[in-house]
Amino acid sequence: MAVNLEIKLGPLELAHPIINASGTFDVLAADKALEEDLFVSFPFAAYIPKTVTLQPRAGNPPPRLQETAAGLLNSIGLANHGIEAFITEDLHRLESLPVPVIASIAGEETEDYGRCAAMLDSREEVAAIELNVSCPNVELDGRALGLDPEKTRQATVLARQATSKFLIVKLTPNVTDIIEVAAAAVDGGADCVSLINTVHGMALDRYSLKPVLGHVTGGLSGPAIKPVALRAVFLVSRELDVPVIGMGGVTTAQDALEFMAAGATAVAVGTASFRDPLAAAMAPELGRLINEHGIGSASELIGVAH
Amino acid sequence: MDAGLIPAELLKCAVVESRQVGAYRLISFVAPQIANLAHPGQFLMIRMSGNELDPLLPRPMGIHNVESDLVTMLIDPVGKGTARLAAAGIGDRVSVLGPLGMGFRFEGEAPAVLVGGGIGISPLKLLARSLAAEGREVRCLLGFRTRKEAVATELFSGVRTDVITEDGSVGRLGLVSDPLPGCLAREPGKPTPEIFACGPSPMLAAVARIARECGNAAQVSVEAHMACGIGSCQGCVIRGAGGYLRVCNDGPVFDVEDISWQ
């Protein structure tokens, strides 16, 4: 029996629950390397480009990457060409994708979220907006705005005032109580929360015993953080009434199955796409697993672990 | 030849050759598409096939050689990922994405001086062959730490080769950049020699300085940690003359003037 994989994420009707994590799959760059392979079987049911900011950002000094045990540390630092270039250069190219586009924005201060959201509000190519309040690589101590529930609420309020689009707030796990921050986002007008962004971490060079990353500290992703992410998705989705996008170390269809059971409505694949650019093509296998568990559809799987 | 971006595909390829070459490991696998498309200086993202999560990511490696359906890589087992690949036995499968990136660009008839340091000699093999096939005069300067690494000189049979070792155990004692200035003078009736280099950063910086001082064009292949290899992650950047450059998409081969050498 075929399992219905379609899910609703607010106004977005997705063919299946698998999307990408922002910053891990640049379809415009990958297009050059993968060409038609990519478009014949586009693995994501919605596409989130890399986070953009009001002004262009060069990003952090290299080295920006270090692999760790079943994980990846990065300190990219939100390198992007700015929201204006995103709107004038990227958006129309993304329009040819067979799936909805969710723009991702970040700011250095809460007001930036309102300004960026306002710039995207009239763009039909943008189906929803993700507020990235959780990039750990902007300040040395990882002081993302999303560490503070009140600032998270304020940023969401300002974006909410600027747009009627579906608003997703992407949360950091680097807090004492992620439920409190998630609740603040929802109180500010978020339609959905997305979690988790990377976990604070660092690595030392084995010979020099100095920090490997040019930015000294970074964010950890990959299979190593899956249990951390699963817990956060479980707790937040149990407490709040908005849909949750789950991510953090999702590598296989079994991982996606578990995130949905923990309460995620959609599941994002990130670092696994670096391992294999078509790793996210896991929807058919997810359907098979759902069926194996005697569950009739993807939407019925959501939160069965609660 | 076109050094541009070419469609790449993730392939699972069977290893058909695996042997020690001094300190390095040479593996070959069957990948007709890659063998057919590969341009000298391009690289592959390569890891062992399977569900192992540690090492997690593929490693970027320059293509050493292609021969009909076979692709050959030379591996320096310095870390977990490379050691795992070096342990690949015949019949094991590797997962491969490529060929990726911008390779060496070659036009004209200038004599070519190839400079390789350590495992950086690897992509120079396919380059030397391709240049020779175009009728270019090719000379290789290959530098190694010790005799153990210098065994890999045997991979360059048929090419005019000078070996330099840091301990003097084989060939000339010193650094591979030491004899370079002596190879760069323009000979009567020939264009000014062009430099093609691959190796560790200090070596490439020395090559860039010598090229500038002697007035020769030079291209260098740069190494960086990568996560994706296809321009997604922005993790592999180096400082360029006008901002950061992605080694994977903008390189790995750059003109020396495009890189900031400070």
Side-chain angles (χ1 to χ4, degrees):
Chain A
M1 197 184 69
V3 166
N4 181 3
L5 285 173
E6 291 169 15
I7 54 126
K8 281 205 169 99
L9 195 62
L12 279 66
E13 294 182 359
L14 306 185
H16 59 76
I18 307 298
I19 67 172
N20 70 301
S22 174
T24 59
F25 200 96
D26 183 338
V27 71
L28 300 177
D31 178 27
K32 292 184 200 163
L34 302 170
E35 283 196 346
E36 60 269 24
D37 282 358
L38 184 61
F39 289 91
V40 166
S41 51
F42 193 70
F44 309 112
Y47 176 68
I48 314 188
K50 185 164 175 69
T51 300
V52 291
T53 49
L54 215 45
Q55 301 300 326
R57 291 176 57 93
N60 288 326
R64 293 176 172 180
L65 296 172
Q66 177 64 38
E67 187 172 316
T68 58
L72 173 66
L73 270 173
N74 88 78
S75 60
I76 309 298
L78 284 184
N80 78 94
H81 59 174
I83 191 164
E84 275 181 42
F86 171 73
I87 289 171
T88 55
E89 293 166 28
D90 299 352
L91 267 186
H92 76 276
R93 292 175 68 198
L94 294 172
E95 216 183 344
S96 60
L97 287 177
V99 300
V101 172
I102 301 171
S104 177
I105 57 178
E108 282 160 19
E109 47 188 30
T110 52
E111 288 75 15
D112 291 0
Y113 289 87
R115 293 184 194 117
C116 288
M119 292 170 77
L120 295 171
D121 185 54
S122 62
R123 304 301 307 209
E124 281 176 18
E125 309 96 315
V126 176
I129 299 174
E130 173 190 89
L131 310 182
N132 178 0
V133 296
S134 46
C135 179
N137 290 320
V138 181
E139 300 294 335
L140 178 64
D141 57 1
R143 211 151 266 298
L145 195 139
L147 295 182
D148 181 340
E150 183 48 28
K151 281 187 184 165
T152 301
R153 198 188 67 82
Q154 282 169 19
T156 314
V157 165
L158 293 170
R160 179 79 290 165
Q161 286 167 356
T163 182
S164 57
K165 288 194 193 289
F166 189 70
L167 271 189
I168 302 160
V169 178
K170 183 164 180 179
L171 304 175
T172 172
N174 305 314
V175 292
T176 309
D177 183 2
I178 195 167
I179 299 172
E180 185 189 1
V181 188
V186 173
D187 186 47
D191 299 307
C192 173
V193 289
S194 168
L195 54 148
I196 58 174
N197 207 321
T198 54
V199 179
H200 284 163
M202 78 180 295
L204 300 184
D205 181 87
R206 62 194 282 204
Y207 300 109
S208 71
L209 297 182
K210 299 288 183 193
V212 171
L213 297 174
H215 190 60
V216 181
T217 66
L220 181 66
S221 64
I225 69 166
K226 182 189 147 189
V228 177
L230 204 59
R231 169 189 179 272
V233 167
F234 183 88
L235 293 180
V236 169
S237 64
R238 209 174 50 169
E239 288 300 316
L240 299 182
D241 270 341
V242 296
V244 170
I245 301 174
M247 71 192 75
V250 176
T251 308
T252 63
Q254 175 64 31
D255 295 331
L257 183 84
E258 291 175 22
F259 272 81
M260 292 192 74
T265 297
V267 177
V269 177
T271 300
S273 294
F274 297 150
R275 180 177 156 81
D276 174 349
L278 299 175
M282 59 176 67
E285 175 66 4
L286 175 63
R288 201 187 62 73
L289 292 176
I290 293 172
N291 191 39
E292 216 173 80
H293 283 268
I295 297 168
S297 68
S299 56
E300 288 168 78
L301 168 64
I302 301 166
V304 297
H306 291 173
Chain B
M1 273 177 85
D2 174 24
L5 293 151
I6 290 166
E9 199 180 331
L10 187 75
L11 301 169
K12 288 185 173 64
C13 308
V15 173
V16 295
E17 180 187 18
S18 176
R19 64 182 170 91
Q20 204 65 27
V21 182
Y24 306 132
R25 190 82 186 173
L26 181 142
I27 65 167
S28 300
F29 49 87
V30 182
Q33 231 178 333
I34 293 171
N36 187 36
L37 293 172
H39 181 90
Q42 286 192 299
F43 68 99
L44 305 178
M45 293 297 282
I46 179 171
R47 64 175 168 88
M48 298 305 296
S49 294
N51 299 326
E52 262 178 66
L53 296 177
D54 189 22
L56 181 65
L57 300 172
R59 297 294 186 264
M61 280 185 203
I63 297 167
H64 176 62
N65 199 11
V66 296
E67 201 98 61
S68 66
D69 283 0
L70 283 189
V71 176
T72 302
M73 311 294 281
L74 195 62
I75 300 163
D76 187 10
V78 287
K80 214 181 324 188
T82 45
R84 184 68 194 83
L85 281 163
I90 289 170
D92 286 350
R93 284 181 179 269
V94 287
S95 286
V96 180
L97 184 72
L100 300 169
M102 307 291 284
F104 291 102
R105 294 164 295 282
F106 41 103
E107 291 140 15
E109 292 155 2
V113 181
L114 278 50
V115 186
I119 193 63
I121 65 162
S122 176
L124 302 184
K125 164 80 173 184
L126 183 58
L127 177 65
R129 279 186 51 207
S130 303
L131 288 167
E134 299 217 336
R136 302 266 296 258
E137 190 182 309
V138 177
R139 177 176 188 183
C140 287
L141 304 180
L142 305 180
F144 303 96
R145 278 195 301 273
T146 68
R147 175 182 292 276
K148 209 173 168 207
E149 290 83 21
V151 171
T153 307
E154 72 183 43
L155 300 169
F156 287 77
S157 60
V159 184
R160 182 182 173 193
T161 303
D162 297 300
V163 178
I164 303 95
T165 51
E166 289 176 34
D167 66 353
S169 54
V170 193
R172 177 181 167 147
L173 169 70
L175 297 173
V176 70
S177 50
D178 296 343
L180 180 60
C183 308
L184 299 178
R186 183 178 170 182
E187 289 177 36
K190 290 183 186 172
T192 307
E194 187 180 0
I195 304 167
F196 301 86
C198 183
S201 306
M203 183 204 105
L204 297 183
V207 167
R209 180 177 45 77
I210 292 164
R212 196 167 51 242
E213 286 166 4
C214 299
N216 299 72
Q219 298 174 38
V220 294
S221 179
V222 175
E223 196 178 44
H225 282 277
M226 291 183 192
C228 68
I230 54 174
S232 277
C233 71
Q234 310 208 40
C236 63
V237 298
I238 55 165
R239 288 184 184 84
Y244 289 126
L245 297 166
R246 282 176 297 191
V247 173
C248 67
N249 261 20
D250 302 320
V253 177
F254 297 91
D255 281 326
V256 283
E257 301 89 60
D258 294 337
I259 294 176
S260 167
W261 294 101
Q262 285 100 44

Coordinates of all heavy atoms in Angstrom, one line a residue, chain B residues 45-74:
Chain B
M45 N 35.8 14.3 -5.3 CA 35.4 14.1 -3.9 C 35.3 12.6 -3.8 O 34.5 12.0 -4.5 CB 34.1 14.8 -3.5 CG 34.2 16.3 -3.6 SD 35.3 17.1 -2.4 CE 34.4 16.9 -0.8
I46 N 36.1 12.0 -2.9 CA 36.1 10.5 -2.8 C 36.1 10.0 -1.4 O 36.8 10.6 -0.5 CB 37.4 10.0 -3.6 CG1 37.5 8.5 -3.5 CG2 38.7 10.7 -3.1 CD1 38.6 7.9 -4.5
R47 N 35.4 9.0 -1.2 CA 35.3 8.3 0.1 C 35.0 6.8 -0.1 O 34.6 6.4 -1.2 CB 34.3 8.9 1.1 CG 32.9 8.8 0.6 CD 31.9 9.3 1.6 NE 30.5 9.4 1.1 CZ 29.6 8.4 1.1 NH1 29.9 7.3 1.6 NH2 28.4 8.6 0.5
M48 N 35.2 6.0 0.9 CA 34.8 4.6 0.8 C 33.2 4.6 0.7 O 32.6 5.3 1.4 CB 35.2 3.8 2.0 CG 36.7 3.7 2.2 SD 37.6 3.1 0.7 CE 37.0 1.4 0.6
S49 N 32.7 3.7 -0.2 CA 31.3 3.5 -0.2 C 30.8 2.9 1.1 O 31.6 2.2 1.7 CB 30.9 2.6 -1.4 OG 31.2 3.3 -2.6
G50 N 29.5 3.1 1.4 CA 29.0 2.4 2.6 C 28.5 3.4 3.6 O 28.5 4.6 3.3
N51 N 28.0 2.9 4.7 CA 27.3 3.7 5.7 C 28.2 4.2 6.9 O 27.6 4.8 7.8 CB 26.1 3.0 6.2 CG 25.1 2.6 5.1 OD1 25.0 3.4 4.1 ND2 24.5 1.5 5.2
E52 N 29.4 3.9 6.8 CA 30.3 4.4 7.9 C 30.2 5.9 8.0 O 30.2 6.7 7.0 CB 31.8 4.2 7.4 CG 32.5 3.0 7.9 CD 33.9 2.9 7.3 OE1 34.7 3.8 7.7 OE2 34.2 2.0 6.6
L53 N 30.1 6.4 9.3 CA 29.9 7.8 9.5 C 31.1 8.5 10.0 O 31.1 9.7 10.3 CB 28.7 8.0 10.5 CG 27.3 7.6 10.0 CD1 26.3 7.8 11.0 CD2 27.0 8.3 8.7
D54 N 32.2 7.7 10.2 CA 33.5 8.3 10.6 C 34.6 7.6 9.9 O 34.8 6.4 10.3 CB 33.5 8.2 12.2 CG 34.7 9.0 12.7 OD1 35.2 9.9 12.0 OD2 35.2 8.6 13.8
P55 N 35.2 8.1 9.0 CA 35.1 9.5 8.5 C 33.8 9.7 7.8 O 33.2 8.9 7.2 CB 36.2 9.6 7.5 CG 36.7 8.2 7.1 CD 36.3 7.4 8.3
L56 N 33.3 11.0 7.9 CA 32.0 11.3 7.5 C 31.9 11.8 6.0 O 31.1 11.4 5.3 CB 31.5 12.5 8.4 CG 30.0 13.0 8.1 CD1 29.0 11.9 8.4 CD2 29.7 14.2 9.0
L57 N 32.9 12.7 5.7 CA 32.8 13.3 4.4 C 33.8 12.8 3.4 O 34.9 12.3 3.8 CB 33.1 14.9 4.6 CG 32.1 15.6 5.5 CD1 32.5 17.0 5.8 CD2 30.7 15.5 4.9
P58 N 33.5 13.0 2.1 CA 34.5 12.6 1.1 C 35.7 13.6 1.2 O 35.6 14.6 1.8 CB 33.8 12.8 -0.2 CG 32.7 13.7 0.1 CD 32.3 13.5 1.5
R59 N 36.9 13.2 0.6 CA 38.0 14.0 0.6 C 38.3 14.5 -0.8 O 38.1 13.7 -1.7 CB 39.3 13.2 1.1 CG 39.2 12.7 2.5 CD 39.2 13.9 3.5 NE 39.2 13.5 4.9 CZ 38.2 13.3 5.7 NH1 37.0 13.6 5.2 NH2 38.3 12.9 7.0
P60 N 38.7 15.8 -0.9 CA 39.0 16.3 -2.3 C 40.4 15.8 -2.6 O 41.3 15.9 -1.8 CB 39.0 17.8 -2.1 CG 39.2 18.0 -0.6 CD 38.8 16.8 0.1
M61 N 40.5 15.3 -3.8 CA 41.9 14.8 -4.3 C 42.0 15.1 -5.8 O 41.1 14.8 -6.5 CB 42.0 13.3 -4.0 CG 42.4 13.0 -2.6 SD 42.7 11.2 -2.6 CE 42.4 11.0 -0.8
G62 N 43.2 15.5 -6.1 CA 43.5 15.8 -7.5 C 43.5 14.4 -8.3 O 44.0 13.4 -7.7
I63 N 43.0 14.4 -9.5 CA 43.1 13.2 -10.3 C 44.5 13.0 -10.8 O 45.2 13.9 -11.4 CB 42.2 13.4 -11.6 CG1 40.7 13.5 -11.1 CG2 42.3 12.2 -12.5 CD1 39.7 14.0 -12.2
H64 N 45.1 11.8 -10.5 CA 46.5 11.6 -10.8 C 46.7 11.2 -12.3 O 47.5 11.7 -13.0 CB 47.0 10.4 -9.9 CG 48.4 10.0 -10.2 ND1 49.5 10.8 -10.1 CD2 48.9 8.8 -10.7 CE1 50.6 10.2 -10.5 NE2 50.3 9.0 -10.9
N65 N 45.8 10.3 -12.7 CA 45.9 9.9 -14.1 C 44.6 9.2 -14.6 O 43.8 8.8 -13.8 CB 47.0 8.8 -14.2 CG 47.5 8.7 -15.6 OD1 47.2 9.5 -16.5 ND2 48.4 7.7 -15.9
V66 N 44.4 9.2 -15.9 CA 43.3 8.4 -16.4 C 43.9 7.6 -17.6 O 44.8 8.1 -18.3 CB 42.1 9.3 -16.9 CG1 41.5 10.0 -15.8 CG2 42.6 10.3 -18.0
E67 N 43.4 6.4 -17.8 CA 43.8 5.5 -18.8 C 42.6 4.7 -19.3 O 42.1 3.9 -18.5 CB 45.0 4.6 -18.3 CG 45.9 4.0 -19.3 CD 47.2 4.9 -19.4 OE1 47.9 5.0 -18.4 OE2 47.4 5.4 -20.5
S68 N 42.2 4.9 -20.5 CA 40.9 4.3 -21.0 C 39.8 4.4 -19.9 O 39.4 5.5 -19.6 CB 41.1 2.9 -21.5 OG 41.4 2.0 -20.5
D69 N 39.4 3.3 -19.3 CA 38.3 3.4 -18.4 C 38.7 3.7 -16.9 O 37.9 3.8 -16.0 CB 37.5 2.1 -18.4 CG 36.6 2.0 -19.6 OD1 36.6 2.9 -20.4 OD2 35.9 0.9 -19.7
L70 N 40.0 3.7 -16.7 CA 40.5 3.7 -15.4 C 40.9 5.1 -14.9 O 41.4 5.9 -15.6 CB 41.8 2.9 -15.3 CG 41.7 1.3 -15.2 CD1 43.0 0.7 -14.9 CD2 40.6 0.9 -14.2
V71 N 40.6 5.4 -13.6 CA 41.0 6.6 -13.0 C 41.9 6.2 -11.8 O 41.6 5.3 -11.1 CB 39.8 7.4 -12.4 CG1 40.2 8.6 -11.6 CG2 38.8 7.7 -13.5
T72 N 43.0 6.9 -11.8 CA 44.0 6.6 -10.7 C 44.3 7.8 -9.8 O 44.3 8.9 -10.3 CB 45.4 6.2 -11.4 OG1 45.1 5.1 -12.3 CG2 46.4 5.8 -10.4
M73 N 44.3 7.5 -8.5 CA 44.5 8.5 -7.5 C 45.8 8.1 -6.7 O 46.0 7.0 -6.5 CB 43.3 8.6 -6.6 CG 42.0 8.7 -7.2 SD 41.7 10.2 -8.2 CE 41.3 11.3 -6.8
L74 N 46.5 9.2 -6.2 CA 47.6 8.9 -5.4 C 47.3 9.5 -4.0 O 46.8 10.6 -3.9 CB 48.8 9.6 -5.9 CG 50.2 9.2 -5.4 CD1 50.5 7.7 -5.6 CD2 51.3 10.1 -6.0

